[in-house]
PDB file of all heavy atoms in Angstrom:
ATOM      1  N   CYS A 413      95.706 126.084 149.581  1.00 30.00           N
ATOM      2  CA  CYS A 413      94.347 125.945 149.051  1.00 30.00           C
ATOM      3  C   CYS A 413      93.912 124.517 148.883  1.00 30.00           C
ATOM      4  O   CYS A 413      94.646 123.699 148.338  1.00 30.00           O
ATOM      5  CB  CYS A 413      94.251 126.671 147.673  1.00 30.00           C
ATOM      6  SG  CYS A 413      92.674 126.487 146.898  1.00 30.00           S
ATOM      7  N   VAL A 414      92.771 124.127 149.397  1.00 28.00           N
ATOM      8  CA  VAL A 414      92.206 122.829 149.176  1.00 28.00           C
ATOM      9  C   VAL A 414      90.770 123.061 148.692  1.00 28.00           C
ATOM     10  O   VAL A 414      89.846 122.798 149.399  1.00 28.00           O
ATOM     11  CB  VAL A 414      92.222 121.974 150.491  1.00 28.00           C
ATOM     12  CG1 VAL A 414      93.647 121.527 150.828  1.00 28.00           C
ATOM     13  CG2 VAL A 414      91.675 122.821 151.693  1.00 28.00           C
ATOM     14  N   HIS A 415      90.714 123.487 147.466  1.00 30.00           N
ATOM     15  CA  HIS A 415      89.422 123.935 146.911  1.00 30.00           C
ATOM     16  C   HIS A 415      88.359 122.880 147.146  1.00 30.00           C
ATOM     17  O   HIS A 415      88.563 121.721 146.864  1.00 30.00           O
ATOM     18  CB  HIS A 415      89.545 124.161 145.335  1.00 30.00           C
ATOM     19  CG  HIS A 415      90.727 124.958 144.984  1.00 30.00           C
ATOM     20  ND1 HIS A 415      90.782 126.317 145.161  1.00 30.00           N
ATOM     21  CD2 HIS A 415      91.908 124.625 144.388  1.00 30.00           C
ATOM     22  CE1 HIS A 415      91.901 126.748 144.686  1.00 30.00           C
ATOM     23  NE2 HIS A 415      92.660 125.785 144.240  1.00 30.00           N
ATOM     24  N   SER A 416      87.190 123.317 147.478  1.00 32.00           N
ATOM     25  CA  SER A 416      86.018 122.433 147.556  1.00 32.00           C
ATOM     26  C   SER A 416      85.532 122.215 146.137  1.00 32.00           C
ATOM     27  O   SER A 416      85.944 122.880 145.206  1.00 32.00           O
ATOM     28  CB  SER A 416      84.924 123.023 148.410  1.00 32.00           C
ATOM     29  OG  SER A 416      84.396 124.226 147.756  1.00 32.00           O
ATOM     30  N   ASP A 417      84.584 121.243 145.994  1.00 34.00           N
ATOM     31  CA  ASP A 417      84.037 120.956 144.671  1.00 34.00           C
ATOM     32  C   ASP A 417      83.325 122.173 144.098  1.00 34.00           C
ATOM     33  O   ASP A 417      83.117 122.311 142.863  1.00 34.00           O
ATOM     34  CB  ASP A 417      83.080 119.753 144.687  1.00 34.00           C
ATOM     35  CG  ASP A 417      83.828 118.448 144.917  1.00 34.00           C
ATOM     36  OD1 ASP A 417      85.023 118.435 144.656  1.00 34.00           O
ATOM     37  OD2 ASP A 417      83.189 117.501 145.342  1.00 34.00           O
ATOM     38  N   SER A 418      82.880 123.105 144.969  1.00 31.00           N
ATOM     39  CA  SER A 418      82.190 124.289 144.482  1.00 31.00           C
ATOM     40  C   SER A 418      83.086 125.435 144.131  1.00 31.00           C
ATOM     41  O   SER A 418      82.683 126.452 143.602  1.00 31.00           O
ATOM     42  CB  SER A 418      81.202 124.748 145.559  1.00 31.00           C
ATOM     43  OG  SER A 418      81.888 125.120 146.729  1.00 31.00           O
ATOM     44  N   CYS A 419      84.392 125.316 144.463  1.00 32.00           N
ATOM     45  CA  CYS A 419      85.342 126.323 144.169  1.00 32.00           C
ATOM     46  C   CYS A 419      85.566 126.490 142.662  1.00 32.00           C
ATOM     47  O   CYS A 419      85.807 125.461 142.000  1.00 32.00           O
ATOM     48  CB  CYS A 419      86.694 126.090 144.858  1.00 32.00           C
ATOM     49  SG  CYS A 419      87.916 127.340 144.562  1.00 32.00           S
ATOM     50  N   PRO A 420      85.435 127.694 142.039  1.00 30.00           N
ATOM     51  CA  PRO A 420      85.568 127.795 140.589  1.00 30.00           C
ATOM     52  C   PRO A 420      86.941 127.402 140.153  1.00 30.00           C
ATOM     53  O   PRO A 420      87.914 127.515 140.827  1.00 30.00           O
ATOM     54  CB  PRO A 420      85.268 129.246 140.354  1.00 30.00           C
ATOM     55  CG  PRO A 420      84.610 129.784 141.559  1.00 30.00           C
ATOM     56  CD  PRO A 420      85.114 128.927 142.694  1.00 30.00           C
ATOM     57  N   SER A 421      87.025 126.967 138.924  1.00 28.00           N
ATOM     58  CA  SER A 421      88.331 126.667 138.295  1.00 28.00           C
ATOM     59  C   SER A 421      89.082 127.948 138.003  1.00 28.00           C
ATOM     60  O   SER A 421      88.433 129.032 137.780  1.00 28.00           O
ATOM     61  CB  SER A 421      88.116 125.878 136.985  1.00 28.00           C
ATOM     62  OG  SER A 421      89.310 125.811 136.257  1.00 28.00           O
ATOM     63  N   LEU A 422      90.419 127.904 138.013  1.00 25.00           N
ATOM     64  CA  LEU A 422      91.197 129.044 137.541  1.00 25.00           C
ATOM     65  C   LEU A 422      91.159 129.194 136.029  1.00 25.00           C
ATOM     66  O   LEU A 422      91.689 130.213 135.534  1.00 25.00           O
ATOM     67  CB  LEU A 422      92.643 128.863 138.018  1.00 25.00           C
ATOM     68  CG  LEU A 422      92.876 128.894 139.556  1.00 25.00           C
ATOM     69  CD1 LEU A 422      94.328 128.673 139.827  1.00 25.00           C
ATOM     70  CD2 LEU A 422      92.347 130.215 140.114  1.00 25.00           C
ATOM     71  N   TRP A 423      90.629 128.189 135.299  1.00 25.00           N
ATOM     72  CA  TRP A 423      90.558 128.317 133.874  1.00 25.00           C
ATOM     73  C   TRP A 423      89.230 128.950 133.439  1.00 25.00           C
ATOM     74  O   TRP A 423      88.171 128.502 133.850  1.00 25.00           O
ATOM     75  CB  TRP A 423      90.648 126.971 133.208  1.00 25.00           C
ATOM     76  CG  TRP A 423      91.997 126.345 133.360  1.00 25.00           C
ATOM     77  CD1 TRP A 423      92.410 125.423 134.217  1.00 25.00           C
ATOM     78  CD2 TRP A 423      93.127 126.680 132.561  1.00 25.00           C
ATOM     79  NE1 TRP A 423      93.718 125.121 134.073  1.00 25.00           N
ATOM     80  CE2 TRP A 423      94.232 125.856 133.029  1.00 25.00           C
ATOM     81  CE3 TRP A 423      93.424 127.510 131.488  1.00 25.00           C
ATOM     82  CZ2 TRP A 423      95.543 125.880 132.492  1.00 25.00           C
ATOM     83  CZ3 TRP A 423      94.703 127.544 130.934  1.00 25.00           C
ATOM     84  CH2 TRP A 423      95.681 126.753 131.435  1.00 25.00           C
ATOM     85  N   GLU A 424      89.318 130.005 132.673  1.00 25.00           N
ATOM     86  CA  GLU A 424      88.094 130.700 132.198  1.00 25.00           C
ATOM     87  C   GLU A 424      88.154 130.880 130.690  1.00 25.00           C
ATOM     88  O   GLU A 424      89.260 131.091 130.129  1.00 25.00           O
ATOM     89  CB  GLU A 424      87.946 132.115 132.846  1.00 25.00           C
ATOM     90  CG  GLU A 424      87.807 132.043 134.348  1.00 25.00           C
ATOM     91  CD  GLU A 424      86.520 131.449 134.809  1.00 25.00           C
ATOM     92  OE1 GLU A 424      85.615 131.364 133.963  1.00 25.00           O
ATOM     93  OE2 GLU A 424      86.423 131.094 135.980  1.00 25.00           O
ATOM     94  N   SER A 425      87.088 130.800 130.002  1.00 25.00           N
ATOM     95  CA  SER A 425      87.036 130.921 128.589  1.00 25.00           C
ATOM     96  C   SER A 425      87.419 132.327 128.205  1.00 25.00           C
ATOM     97  O   SER A 425      86.857 133.294 128.736  1.00 25.00           O
ATOM     98  CB  SER A 425      85.690 130.568 128.004  1.00 25.00           C
ATOM     99  OG  SER A 425      85.640 130.864 126.626  1.00 25.00           O
TER     100      SER A 425
END
Side-chain angles (χ1 to χ4, degrees):
C413 175
V414 286
H415 311 286
S416 67
D417 287 342
S418 62
C419 180
S421 168
L422 293 179
W423 290 99
E424 299 291 344
S425 174

